[in-house]
Amino acid sequence: MQIAVIFPVVAPPFVGKNALRPFSKIDGREAFLRCVELYTQRNQVSQRIVVVTPEDLETMQERYSAHLGFQGVTVAAGGSSWFSCVARGLEKLDGAVDTVIIHDVCCPAVSFHQLDALEATLAKHESAVAAVPVLPTQRAYADLEEGRVLEYVDMSAVSEVQSPQIFRRKALAEAYARRGASDGDGKGADGKETAFMDDAELLVNLGYTVRTFAGSRFNQRVDSDVMVRLAKELLSHLPKPASKTPLTPFGEAEW
């Protein structure tokens, strides 16, 4: 298994555009950098690709590109949507890559155990083309109208789907090719982004098998100022892998 990780620096379709804090610092380290650095010591990861929107390209180039480039991380310019950024990342894959992880850059509280389980689930199920972490829903939800409750929604059979997600490259590339063939730039006739919530749903819609494994309550999206403040506490509870040194020619020195 030779893996590339794509980091779209854009809000996924299921949240609002304001639910994005990639450059917010958590204990002195930007959220998106914490996500990128989760894979530094994983030998099977041969590529890390950060894809940014046109709005954030200048910030990325001026503040982070040199450091990321020194670590061997590719920075690419994508479009303004999640799917356009992932598509750009797919264009940057090396030929030897056979597996792709897509990691939401607002999800830094992911343990190495979760990454191990991600890879192991896909490897175990040969008929599956993807694997995603899930959690059973433990909250009540209701349909609302003008500030009043209309009715409660039965959530007993519903689970929360988390990031990161892992895919077999061939199936993911085919899904994106078919998506482009069916609706051009990924938008419908009304000009809006198509209704898929994430990449796993895109594959499910095409009839592929996507397997699941147990997610983590610590793996919360850092998508608001409140969550930025809580993220340090979440990270402090994660198990730490045994260090492999040096991480870079400068060891573990901060930059």
Side-chain angles (χ1 to χ4, degrees):
M1 185 181 289
Q2 189 158 332
I3 300 173
V5 189
I6 298 174
F7 305 90
V9 186
V10 63
F14 55 84
V15 301
K17 289 188 176 181
N18 292 328
L20 190 68
R21 299 293 189 280
F23 304 114
S24 294
K25 290 193 175 184
I26 303 169
D27 197 21
R29 202 73 166 154
E30 286 83 346
F32 93 93
L33 282 177
R34 288 187 173 275
C35 294
V36 172
E37 291 166 358
L38 286 171
Y39 300 89
T40 300
Q41 299 183 60
R42 299 188 73 83
N43 294 332
Q44 59 273 51
V45 173
S46 60
Q47 266 190 295
R48 288 175 291 170
I49 306 168
V50 174
V51 188
V52 295
T53 63
E55 293 81 3
D56 289 328
L57 182 59
E58 183 176 353
T59 297
M60 186 64 68
Q61 290 175 331
E62 292 181 353
R63 296 173 57 184
Y64 305 106
S65 286
H67 174 69
L68 291 171
F70 181 74
Q71 291 191 34
V73 178
T74 300
V75 176
S80 59
S81 70
W82 176 274
F83 292 107
S84 65
C85 285
V86 173
R88 181 61 172 158
L90 291 175
E91 293 175 359
K92 294 290 185 177
L93 296 181
D94 291 340
V97 168
D98 55 19
T99 306
V100 179
I101 292 174
I102 300 176
H103 194 127
D104 182 347
V105 294
C106 286
C107 296
V110 177
S111 73
F112 73 97
H113 289 311
Q114 285 292 105
L115 297 180
D116 288 345
L118 193 72
E119 296 174 21
T121 302
L122 187 64
K124 178 180 177 181
H125 300 281
E126 294 183 0
S127 63
V129 300
V132 299
V134 298
L135 286 173
T137 301
Q138 295 183 337
R139 294 181 176 88
Y141 290 85
D143 287 329
L144 307 180
E145 184 179 88
E146 297 179 350
R148 63 187 180 92
V149 174
L150 292 181
E151 62 177 344
Y152 276 79
V153 180
D154 181 9
M155 304 296 289
S156 60
V158 175
S159 294
E160 173 189 340
V161 180
Q162 297 185 315
S163 178
Q165 303 177 353
I166 191 168
F167 304 88
R168 301 195 195 279
R169 175 184 181 174
K170 182 178 179 180
L172 185 62
E174 179 183 344
Y176 266 80
R178 292 176 64 178
R179 183 175 185 273
S182 63
D183 54 13
D185 60 0
K187 298 181 180 180
D190 58 0
K192 296 181 179 180
E193 194 71 25
T194 48
F196 300 117
M197 294 294 99
D198 60 18
D199 304 281
E201 187 187 9
L202 176 61
L203 270 69
V204 169
N205 183 68
L206 293 175
Y208 288 112
T209 298
V210 175
R211 302 294 302 194
T212 66
F213 65 97
S216 169
R217 296 288 173 193
F218 294 119
N219 184 11
Q220 301 293 317
R221 291 196 81 250
V222 180
D223 54 12
S224 66
D225 294 338
V226 170
M227 287 307 303
V228 170
R229 293 195 292 272
L230 291 175
K232 180 180 177 181
E233 183 69 17
L234 293 172
L235 288 166
S236 71
H237 291 283
L238 298 181
K240 302 297 189 291
S243 179
K244 297 178 183 178
T245 56
L247 296 177
T248 70
F250 295 142
E252 296 180 80
E254 291 290 334
W255 59 286

